[in-house]
């Protein structure tokens, strides 16, 4: 069932036809079609968290540029961070895993063809977090759907819901649900990290260019006697160490690639991790839902990780312990941009670099892969946004130029704004290159930064991929 209405021009957006509908069983969507000045392109936006809503307003920039734009609820009705009770339905699990994103692309392009009498010449996708996962799923499972994909801070629900979020919640919350860290103590920890590691990139600016270079030991901040405003308790030191090291089992074996990065401390939230962990555990993690009282404390890192891998193979773009295979996407000429905040506490940037490293290993090495797949690491940025660093940038115009003109993005300017306007700007370069201060000029201006590269191509593969059976 479809409904349509004509929306008059307003606030710089041209007149468009808004079409809403449902793809069975519950994929609600909206497509907006410029009525007079379509540019021939289709654009689809991803969702966040557990989704359940239609984020059509996240298409505003593309609609203003006269794309046909589309958004959907990922196959169920709910709130983005509300317990996914809909996960008790296997069909809705399938839609959340990727079927809905694919069917939205099929339906959206069909509506464009019906409205204009011709199919879109090019199709694009953009999403962050769950939307980033949607983008990588499209490249892996439905390589013909989009010519260009932007995937930000891609969140693999199997790794996060069953492992990382549980680990963080168990370390950041006490048994009674209270937070181990107060905001003031997170500031103490972050200040200690910055004092120790900020200058490693040659400039003290409150931003870690690559947190992996930091080797700070939180024990250096432990209070000598009890507690105090400028030190950490033994409990807080233990929690910080656990997050920086990442999830392990009782044998000390790492359970997923990556860990919480240094520099992300001001965004740590046990309550936030718990809400996502418990929602996933109760309704999505296992083939059959556990008892109603099963919670993030119940999860056993020795026995439950393997039990959760069957469903992780459904939700994650690639099954646990398998390497990604984007050869079909590459062969059809697809272009992929991934960006990730170096200070993302919710989704480990090291896990994303592990993914990228396995793609480069399988598909010809870094230089060859960068002909169609480029990663932009964003120093100081939290999950998808935020952080005391340049964290706003435009990638859709860069992707369009890459797909349609063969002009690959080699330099993207990120901006940090405050109440009084722009605070500072800085360039981003395709990984493994990075921005380095030239030594002269305004450190807050991107013009004073140059491209630097490691002496050799890095191998960021972590001990995660198993040998094929």
């Amino acid at each position: 069932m479809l409904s349509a209405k004509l929306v008059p021009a307003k606030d710089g957006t041209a007149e468009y036809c808004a079409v809403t509908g449902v793809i069975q069983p519950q994929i609600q969507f909206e497509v907006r079609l410029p009525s007079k000045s379509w540019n021939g392109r289709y654009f689809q936006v991803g969702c966040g968290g557990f989704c359940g809503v239609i984020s059509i307003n996240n298409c505003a920039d593309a609609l203003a540029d006269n794309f046909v734009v589309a958004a959907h609820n990922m196959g169920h009705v709910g709130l983005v961070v509300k317990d996914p009770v809909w996960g008790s339905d296997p069909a809705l699990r399938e839609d959340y895993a990727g079927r809905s994103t694919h069917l939205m692309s099929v339906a959206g392009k069909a509506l464009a063809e019906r409205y204009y009498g011709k199919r879109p010449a090019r199709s694009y996708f953009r999403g962050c977090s769950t939307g980033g996962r949607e983008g990588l799923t499209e490249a892996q499972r439905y390589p013909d759907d989009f010519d260009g994909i932007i995937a930000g801070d891609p969140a693999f629900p199997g790794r996060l819901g069953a492992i990382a979020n549980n680990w963080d919640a168990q370390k950041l919350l006490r048994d009674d649900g209270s937070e181990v860290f107060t905001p003031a103590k997170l500031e103490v920890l972050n200040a200690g990290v910055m004092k120790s590691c900020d200058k490693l990139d040659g400039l003290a600016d409150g931003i870690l260019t690559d947190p992996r270079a930091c080797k700070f030991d939180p024990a250096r901040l432990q209070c000598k006697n009890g507690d105090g405003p400028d030190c950490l308790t033994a409990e807080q030191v233990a929690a910080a160490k656990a997050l920086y090291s990442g999830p392990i089992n009782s044998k000390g074996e790492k359970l997923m690639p990556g860990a919480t990065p240094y520099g992300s401390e001001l965004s740590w939230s046990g309550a936030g991790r718990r809400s996502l962990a418990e929602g996933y555990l109760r309704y999505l993690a296992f083939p059959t839902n556990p008892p109603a009282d099963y919670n993030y404390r119940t999860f056993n890192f020795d026995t439950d990780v393997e039990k959760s891998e069957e469903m992780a193979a459904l939700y994650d773009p690639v099954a646990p312990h398998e390497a990604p295979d984007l050869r079909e996407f590459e062969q059809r000429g697809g272009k992929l941009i991934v960006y990730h905040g170096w200070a993302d506490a919710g989704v480990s940037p090291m896990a994303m670099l592990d993914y990228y490293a396995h793609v480069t290993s399988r598909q010809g090495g870094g230089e060859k892969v960068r002909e169609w797949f480029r990663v932009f690491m964003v120093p100081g940025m939290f999950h998808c946004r935020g952080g005391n660093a340049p964290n706003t940038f435009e990638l859709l115009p860069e992707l369009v130029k890459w797909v349609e003109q063969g002009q690959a993005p080699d330099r993207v300017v990120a901006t940090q704004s405050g109440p009084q306007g722009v605070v500072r700007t800085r360039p981003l370069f395709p990984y493994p290159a990075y921005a380095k201060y030239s030594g002269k000029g305004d450190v807050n201006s991107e013009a004073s930064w140059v491209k630097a590269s490691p002496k050799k191509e890095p191998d960021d593969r972590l001990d995660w991929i198993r040998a094929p059976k």
Side-chain angles (χ1 to χ4, degrees):
M1 179 178 178
L2 296 174
S3 63
K5 65 177 181 179
L6 195 64
V7 179
K10 183 180 179 181
D11 299 330
T13 299
E15 178 185 90
Y16 63 87
C17 178
V19 179
T20 59
V22 178
I23 302 170
Q24 294 299 320
Q26 291 186 27
I27 307 173
Q28 298 179 353
F29 67 86
E30 181 173 345
V31 178
R32 295 180 177 178
L33 306 105
S35 57
K36 298 177 181 178
S37 53
W38 181 41
N39 64 15
R41 304 180 180 102
Y42 172 79
F43 174 82
Q44 187 170 314
V45 72
C47 206
F50 296 126
C51 200
V53 298
I54 303 171
S55 303
I56 191 67
N57 290 331
N58 290 341
C59 299
D61 60 325
L63 182 62
D65 285 337
N66 297 311
F67 288 73
V68 166
V69 300
H72 66 112
N73 69 351
M74 294 192 75
H76 57 269
V77 179
L79 297 175
V80 170
V81 294
K82 183 74 173 177
D83 278 358
V85 294
W86 49 266
S88 300
D89 185 329
L92 303 192
R93 289 183 172 196
E94 291 276 353
D95 282 343
Y96 181 64
R99 176 178 176 269
S100 62
T101 307
H102 167 62
L103 292 182
M104 177 73 263
S105 75
V106 173
K109 285 178 273 191
L111 284 169
E113 184 174 16
R114 181 71 177 269
Y115 191 73
Y116 300 110
K118 61 181 180 180
R119 289 185 65 78
R122 297 290 187 180
S123 298
Y124 299 92
F125 178 91
R126 180 183 68 199
C128 196
S129 192
T130 291
R133 185 259 294 181
E134 287 182 75
L136 295 186
T137 299
E138 281 289 313
Q140 177 88 25
R141 301 180 185 174
Y142 306 102
D144 293 329
D145 281 355
F146 295 100
D147 300 292
I149 293 172
I150 299 169
D153 298 60
F156 290 16
R159 294 182 184 181
L160 297 173
I163 304 174
N165 285 333
N166 283 307
W167 178 264
D168 289 0
Q170 288 189 18
K171 306 304 178 184
L172 292 174
L173 295 174
R174 301 184 180 95
D175 289 341
D176 63 2
S178 62
E179 297 273 357
V180 169
F181 286 97
T182 63
K185 287 304 186 79
L186 289 176
E187 290 184 5
V188 170
L189 177 58
N190 178 254
V193 169
M194 289 300 166
K195 182 178 179 180
S196 177
C197 300
D198 190 9
K199 294 183 180 179
L200 293 177
D201 55 15
L203 188 67
D205 57 355
I207 301 174
L208 304 184
T209 297
D210 186 338
R212 294 175 299 181
C214 184
K215 308 300 180 184
F216 178 71
D217 183 354
R220 293 166 58 182
L221 298 175
Q222 187 164 333
C223 302
K224 304 300 182 183
N225 295 296
D227 197 0
D230 299 320
C231 58
L232 303 180
T233 65
E235 178 188 41
Q236 291 165 344
V237 168
K241 285 187 173 183
L243 263 68
Y244 293 140
S245 65
I248 58 174
N249 59 22
S250 63
K251 297 179 181 178
E253 298 168 333
K254 293 187 72 67
L255 298 176
M256 61 167 283
T260 303
Y262 289 103
S264 66
E265 298 79 20
L266 298 182
S267 67
W268 290 7
S269 168
R273 301 272 74 78
R274 176 180 180 176
S275 64
L276 293 169
E278 288 195 330
Y280 184 81
L281 288 177
R282 289 171 174 167
Y283 302 106
L284 297 170
F286 306 107
T288 302
N289 287 344
D293 61 352
Y294 191 96
N295 60 49
Y296 77 107
R297 292 284 186 193
T298 310
F299 188 86
N300 186 302
F301 289 98
D302 285 332
T303 60
D304 287 351
V305 171
E306 187 172 352
K307 293 177 184 178
S308 72
E309 289 185 347
E310 177 181 344
M311 299 314 302
L314 172 66
Y315 305 125
D316 293 358
V318 289
H321 308 289
E322 291 186 4
D325 186 351
L326 303 184
R327 286 175 290 188
E328 288 189 40
F329 184 75
E330 175 194 1
Q331 289 164 6
R332 69 168 296 270
K335 299 293 187 289
L336 175 61
I337 296 176
V338 171
Y339 65 91
H340 207 115
W342 260 129
D344 186 345
V347 180
S348 172
M350 286 77 86
M352 191 283 296
L353 289 178
D354 169 72
Y355 175 96
Y356 179 63
H358 281 286
V359 173
T360 60
S361 176
R362 167 171 269 170
Q363 295 182 224
E367 288 191 18
K368 184 176 187 300
V369 167
R370 282 190 288 277
E371 294 175 0
W372 60 274
F373 179 6
R374 295 196 169 190
V375 170
F376 290 86
M377 301 302 294
V378 189
M381 188 175 81
F382 293 160
H383 184 58
C384 293
R385 62 185 68 84
N388 182 26
N391 52 41
T392 303
F393 38 88
E394 296 293 334
L395 290 174
L396 182 57
E398 300 292 337
L399 183 62
V400 170
K401 286 189 291 185
W402 197 8
V403 169
E404 299 180 17
Q405 301 172 28
Q407 184 177 336
D410 195 54
R411 189 177 189 276
V412 175
V413 176
T415 300
Q416 180 181 0
S417 299
Q420 306 304 317
V422 174
V423 175
R424 52 184 166 181
T425 57
R426 187 165 298 183
L428 307 174
F429 297 102
Y431 185 83
Y434 57 93
K436 183 177 181 179
Y437 179 53
S438 65
K440 56 184 179 180
D442 183 0
V443 297
N444 294 321
S445 171
E446 54 88 14
S448 302
W449 293 74
V450 297
K451 183 178 181 180
S453 299
K455 294 181 179 179
K456 65 177 182 178
E457 190 80 19
D459 183 353
D460 296 314
R461 289 176 294 177
L462 301 172
D463 186 15
W464 173 251
I465 305 301
R466 291 174 180 162
K469 295 182 179 179

